[in-house]
Amino acid sequence: MNENAYEASDVALMGLALEEARLAEADGDVPVGAVAVLAGAIVARQHNRKEAWADPTAHAELLVLRDAADRLGRWRLPDVTVYATMEPCPMCAGAMVQARVGRLVYAVPDPRAGAAGSVFDIVDNPRLNHRVTVLSGVLHDEAAAQLHRFFARLRREPAPALSASG
């Protein structure tokens, strides 16, 4: 979709999420970034830190939800929009439902584990207690190119040797 079809604020805020994704990549993590926004103001910015923290739950979306809840002093976030460079996985989509996030904007779908409409639709499941409004495709080409470059580089580089315990 043409970027002119999206609100300028959505494009600008997704640009900030892409900046966060670049920080993740610089740390050797999958380049995914997230930004939480309340009434046009940035509440939190985060990026994937799974590798840096050796934590399987250190996804950008979970970290941005934690920071936003901490800064706002509440766990319910119905007036918050989360911008993510990639469609959330089931864990992150479930956290968004639990946090009652009002809106999710993401750049690229995740055809392997997307949970906002691609593989699963956790954020809009009528059996759950909350539904998240979703807008997809904002800065799609930029986010897709970033992910493509990252995974192409990984395929070229030799995998690190696993320790006896790993």
Side-chain angles (χ1 to χ4, degrees), residues 58-73:
H59 291 206
E61 301 93 332
L62 279 185
L63 298 176
V64 86
L65 288 175
R66 288 178 187 155
D67 284 356
D70 184 53
R71 289 190 180 122
L72 295 173

Side-chain angles (χ1 to χ4, degrees), residues 7 32-33 51 65 80-81 87 92 133 139 141 158 162 165:
E7 295 288 328
V32 175
E51 299 296 334
L65 288 175
V80 169
T81 297
E87 179 183 9
C92 295
T133 301
L139 295 183
D141 293 348
L162 293 176
S165 64

Side-chain angles (χ1 to χ4, degrees), residues 103-117:
R103 184 170 176 249
L104 164 66
V105 179
Y106 71 86
V108 296
D110 181 351
R112 299 178 121 187

Side-chain angles (χ1 to χ4, degrees), residues 4-142:
N4 293 330
Y6 297 110
E7 295 288 328
S9 59
D10 288 335
V11 173
L13 291 161
M14 186 61 73
L16 296 178
L18 283 167
E19 288 177 13
E20 287 294 322
R22 283 189 278 282
L23 294 174
E25 184 174 14
D27 289 342
D29 237 309
V30 176
V32 175
V35 175
V37 176
L38 171 66
I42 297 166
V43 179
R45 294 174 61 150
Q46 277 291 348
H47 54 273
N48 273 1
R49 296 176 190 265
K50 286 171 48 175
E51 299 296 334
W53 294 356
D55 180 351
T57 68
H59 291 206
E61 301 93 332
L62 279 185
L63 298 176
V64 86
L65 288 175
R66 288 178 187 155
D67 284 356
D70 184 53
R71 289 190 180 122
L72 295 173
R74 56 187 164 94
W75 64 268
R76 289 180 188 88
L77 306 173
D79 46 0
V80 169
T81 297
V82 173
Y83 292 83
T85 57
M86 180 181 256
E87 179 183 9
C89 71
M91 175 179 66
C92 295
M96 288 181 192
V97 170
Q98 290 298 312
R100 315 303 198 266
V101 167
R103 184 170 176 249
L104 164 66
V105 179
Y106 71 86
V108 296
D110 181 351
R112 299 178 121 187
S118 291
V119 179
F120 308 101
D121 202 356
I122 292 172
V123 297
D124 191 29
N125 188 315
R127 287 172 267 169
L128 298 177
N129 63 334
H130 177 75
R131 291 181 175 179
V132 179
T133 301
V134 177
L135 174 65
S136 63
V138 177
L139 295 183
H140 173 277
D141 293 348
E142 292 86 338

